[in-house]
Amino acid sequence: MTAMPLIPLSPRETARRRLLDALRREGPMARVEIGQHLGMSPASVSELTASLLDEGILVAEETADQASGLIRGRPKTRLYFAETLGSVIGVWTGFNRIELRLVDSAGRNRASRHIERPLRNLGANELMDVLAETITAFAQGTGAHDVKAIGLACQGYVDTRDGIVAWSPVLGTRDLPLASGLGERLGLPVLMENDASAMAFAITQRNSDLRSGRTACLMVGDGVGLGFLIQGELYRGARFGGSEFGHVRLRRGGPQCRCGGRGCIEAYLADYALHRDAQLIDHRPAPTLLLPGEDAMESIVEQARAGDPALLNLFQAAGEVLGDAVGILIQTLEPDHIVLCGPGTRAMDLLRPSFEAALESQTIPELRALAAIHVVESSMDLLTEGVVIQALRELDLDLARLKAA
């Protein structure tokens, strides 16, 4: 399984859980801010925070102005998580790439590492052995002996309830029980997430405005993925997975997609698709791996910005597809916010004219007016950040439980 055992919380434990979750999502807050945020009375907040402070789960710190004596009156303290409650490791598996991040219980980044490692052709057991060895070596190399959980982000269709990767374009095994396999090898709970959903969750954690209403985050890069959130929580399908929006077919008989189909949104927008078409235009060298690196993509973008007409047409066509894709989101989900994120936003200046024209021509104006579109420059560390936050929230559930005297 992917998470801790589901044992019902008592009313007091539920209140502790709400308070801890608010601090995890909003960051350090004063008691009065906690009360306003949760709708709790000052007496209830004081009682809850006193026990959490006594247990060493929270720590208190005066603000800088109060500590310096610039503000008179009763000191205002902010509460935040202690950093000594254990750590979590976030992992992202890409095409022959692994990203790792170590974060303490206060949410502070302690170490990170990028590893190039062949993964695509590994069998199930060998893949899980490699990942377990990599995670163990990373933890030992950072001196982390208090790791409590692993958060794992994967490309493809991920069943988050049962911890199964049903299908991934970067792994060679279907219906892979990755959470249980890694959990057995590491002796730790493993929580899994689709990587687009992980990035969407991290982005909304950084921007409180995006945690209101419905937010659709369209991630463009190695592939095209969608994370959809309602009031800041990820939407789950029937198998507790996310959306495979990148594999919605736009045009029958279109270009080849990694999923085996043709004409998918991803087959027009993903880095591998743009690089493939650029090769046909100017016979540039093929990437050494199936997926082009950032340097290869930047080269195409800069050449287009310099005025190469064929490459400009390539990005114009991609912008039209992006506009069609966002139009589908608007007219099927009616989101309050649409976030365009991922490495593919590096070329947004080239995509924007045709993107906006396609969106305007293909979308019902009244619906288009309801959705605010944001472009968020985003790095791959958001993938591990998203699963780290989720893993910490799972650990907070255990912290919320009252310990027997």
Side-chain angles (χ1 to χ4, degrees), residues 31-32 35-36 39-49:
R31 290 175 179 83
V32 65
Q36 292 169 349
M40 288 184 178
S41 69
S44 296
V45 173
S46 294
E47 182 183 0
L48 291 172
T49 56

Side-chain angles (χ1 to χ4, degrees), residues 136-168:
T136 299
F138 174 67
Q140 292 174 345
T142 59
H145 304 294
D146 59 349
V147 177
K148 302 295 186 182
I150 306 296
L152 179 62
C154 298
Q155 289 187 44
Y157 191 84
V158 177
D159 180 338
T160 61
R161 178 185 58 189
D162 294 331
I164 294 172
V165 181
W167 168 81
S168 172

Side-chain angles (χ1 to χ4, degrees), residues 337-358:
H337 306 278
I338 294 178
V339 178
L340 304 179
C341 58
T345 59
R346 69 174 81 83
M348 199 61 209
D349 58 318
L350 300 173
L351 300 170
R352 190 180 297 277
S354 55
F355 161 71
E356 292 180 345

